[in-house]
Amino acid sequence: LMNTVTAGIVSSVARQGSEIGMTDKRHEFIQTDAAINGGNSGGPLINLDGEVIGINTAKLAGQQVSGISFAIPMDTAWQVIKQLRTNRAVVRPYLGIKFSTALPTRRGDSSEVRVVGVSPGSPAEGAGVKIGDTILQFDNKPVKSNRDILERIGYSYGRTITIRLRRESGEVMDLNVETTAPPRNVRVD
C-alpha cells in the first residue's frame, strides 16, 4: 500500500478537540475522510492544487466509525514550527488570567466568561483586569466560552490583545494586554 492517495474529502474545517475526545488540545482540527493508519499520521493533507493544508494527526476509532480522520491546520502548524525554530520548544503566551464560563441564569441569556483570578505582576494585572470582570470580547471578537479565548491567544507572545470587559458595576471598557512568555514557575497549557 505504499504511495497510496485517498480522496480526502474535507467535511469540517473547525472541529474542536473537545468534540473528538481530545480535551487537552485547544486548537481546531480539519475533519476529512482521508485514511490515516498506524505509521502515516504526520503526513500532509493536500488540496487539489498540491498545497499542504494540514498535517494528518488522528482518526476516530470504534466499531461504528470508519473513514473519519483529523488533521492539524497548517496555520496552527506554522505557529508551532516558528516557536520550535526560535525557542526549541513550544512556549504558550501568558496573560495571567484565570477565567471560567458561566452558564446562563435566565432563559434567553447566553453564557459568559468571567475572570476568576488575576496573577500578581502579570500582564493582565498591569492592564487593569480584575476578578469579577466579564470578558465580552477578546482580540476584537465576541466571547461566549473559554474556548473562544484559548483559540485566540495563539502561540506567539509579544503581541497586544484588546479585551473588552464589563465590570461588576456595569461599566464597559477596553483594555490592552501584551502577551509575554510565562514566568519560569508557571506552566501554560
Side-chain angles (χ1 to χ4, degrees):
L1 297 177
M2 293 191 51
N3 302 319
T4 300
V5 175
T6 59
I9 306 299
V10 172
S11 54
S12 176
V13 294
R15 187 69 69 203
Q16 300 296 325
S18 59
E19 294 178 85
I20 60 174
M22 298 175 139
T23 55
D24 61 328
K25 306 297 181 207
R26 67 181 196 177
H27 55 81
E28 296 177 337
F29 291 87
I30 299 169
Q31 181 177 324
T32 177
D33 69 353
I36 297 179
N37 298 305
N40 71 353
S41 65
L45 180 64
I46 299 172
N47 68 13
L48 291 174
D49 295 323
E51 301 164 325
V52 177
I53 61 168
I55 299 173
N56 295 322
T57 303
K59 69 176 182 174
L60 281 184
Q63 294 178 348
Q64 305 299 321
V65 180
S66 178
I68 299 176
S69 302
F70 302 95
I72 297 171
M74 278 314 300
D75 57 344
T76 300
W78 274 120
Q79 291 181 57
V80 171
I81 290 167
K82 287 177 193 174
Q83 286 259 337
L84 290 170
R85 284 181 174 166
T86 303
N87 306 317
R88 296 190 162 287
V90 177
V91 180
R92 307 252 191 247
Y94 173 73
L95 295 175
I97 302 174
K98 292 181 183 172
F99 46 87
S100 178
T101 301
L103 299 175
T105 54
R106 296 183 304 224
R107 179 175 280 185
D109 286 352
S110 60
S111 60
E112 297 180 323
V113 176
R114 294 207 184 105
V115 176
V116 297
V118 179
S119 299
S122 68
E125 182 187 56
V129 178
K130 297 181 179 180
I131 293 173
D133 288 344
T134 299
I135 301 173
L136 304 174
Q137 291 183 1
F138 189 88
D139 204 17
N140 300 311
K141 294 185 181 100
V143 170
K144 298 292 180 201
S145 72
N146 294 359
R147 172 87 25 216
D148 295 330
I149 295 170
L150 294 173
E151 288 171 1
R152 293 181 196 138
I153 287 175
Y155 290 86
S156 60
Y157 50 89
R159 71 182 188 103
T160 300
I161 295 175
T162 301
I163 302 174
R164 178 163 290 164
L165 302 171
R166 183 179 61 239
R167 300 276 183 195
E168 291 179 299
S169 66
E171 178 186 7
V172 175
M173 63 181 60
D174 289 343
L175 301 176
N176 292 317
V177 182
E178 185 174 338
T179 61
T180 64
R184 292 181 188 256
N185 62 338
V186 175
R187 181 175 169 206
V188 180
D189 291 323

